[in-house]
Amino acid sequence: TWDLINKMMNDKKNDIPLGVIPDAEAQRIMNGFKINRMSMKDGQTGNVLWECQEWDNSVLEKTETFPKALLKCKQVTREINFSSAEEIKEFQLIQRIWLEGQIIEEWNFLFGFVIPNSTNTWEQTIMAAKPEEMLPIEVINGKISIETLFLAKKKIVYRSKLRIIYKQQPYQSR
């Protein structure tokens, strides 16, 4: 199954378009799945640097503005609040960072079991590379895309892409 997922995500000819759910069970789970809100925090201080209070699950590809301060954090904690009408087994998130068509980072997070008709908060902490290993903002700004896949028993139930623009801005909730 992992080979199939990797093939779908890497092979542009066989890539599943955003929003296409290839399995009836996955479609049923997705119909009852909602991201309610998401935030990014400085993992050391807990200060919220970016937050989206009303996540639109129907928008599968968009541009998002993050504060430059996120790039200075030694660790970033992402908090996702989500609801599920369905029971989900082996729930996980795969996140890939793309720069000009190449994957430059990838993370895999396992949540496990999701109770039906529940609302859950899930935090993941991502450690930053050493400062000398970080790409300059001039290289990545507006060129980075974050592809996020939510899976249930290794079947894709939700997929989105965000193009990231970094700006000098104070924290704003939206």
Side-chain angles (χ1 to χ4, degrees):
T1 304
W2 281 115
D3 291 336
L4 176 62
I5 291 169
N6 285 322
K7 181 173 178 45
M8 289 187 306
M9 292 168 60
N10 289 323
D11 186 348
K12 299 214 182 292
K13 291 178 284 190
N14 294 320
D15 201 14
I16 296 174
L18 289 172
V20 174
I21 308 298
D23 177 276
E25 179 186 10
Q27 183 65 55
R28 183 178 44 76
I29 291 169
M30 182 55 216
N31 289 342
F33 178 79
K34 179 171 180 5
I35 298 172
N36 302 311
R37 65 181 182 276
M38 188 179 306
S39 66
M40 305 286 271
K41 305 176 205 175
D42 180 318
Q44 292 184 308
T45 66
N47 292 337
V48 176
L49 300 174
W50 175 87
E51 186 171 39
C52 179
Q53 289 286 339
E54 293 186 22
W55 192 264
D56 186 351
N57 287 338
S58 68
V59 178
L60 303 175
E61 192 163 9
K62 64 180 180 174
T63 299
E64 194 65 55
T65 302
F66 285 175
K68 287 182 181 178
L70 274 173
L71 297 172
K72 296 189 186 320
C73 295
K74 292 184 179 179
Q75 57 188 26
V76 173
T77 300
R78 174 181 51 203
E79 181 178 288
I80 301 170
N81 180 275
F82 67 93
S83 299
S84 179
E86 301 292 331
E87 173 182 295
I88 304 176
K89 295 179 182 173
E90 299 174 41
F91 188 55
Q92 69 186 97
L93 180 151
I94 296 174
Q95 185 168 11
R96 289 185 169 177
I97 309 300
W98 293 81
L99 176 63
E100 298 180 342
Q102 299 289 325
I103 296 172
I104 60 170
E105 290 183 277
E106 180 175 327
W107 300 289
N108 186 350
F109 302 98
L110 179 64
F111 186 87
F113 181 77
V114 176
I115 298 169
N117 299 310
S118 65
T119 298
N120 305 273
T121 300
W122 185 11
E123 284 190 348
Q124 305 99 32
T125 299
I126 301 160
M127 304 302 290
K130 296 176 187 170
E132 62 273 13
E133 296 171 352
M134 297 286 282
L135 294 172
I137 191 165
E138 300 80 28
V139 172
I140 63 171
N141 200 14
K143 298 174 190 163
I144 289 280
S145 290
I146 301 174
E147 177 184 40
T148 304
L149 292 102
F150 288 91
L151 296 99
K153 296 193 297 187
K154 300 182 175 53
K155 296 176 185 173
I156 298 169
V157 297
Y158 180 74
R159 179 177 176 208
S160 68
K161 281 188 179 179
L162 297 178
R163 177 164 304 279
I164 305 301
I165 296 174
Y166 293 98
K167 289 189 176 178
Q168 190 69 39
Q169 64 185 34
Y171 162 71
Q172 291 178 307
S173 177
R174 56 170 201 81

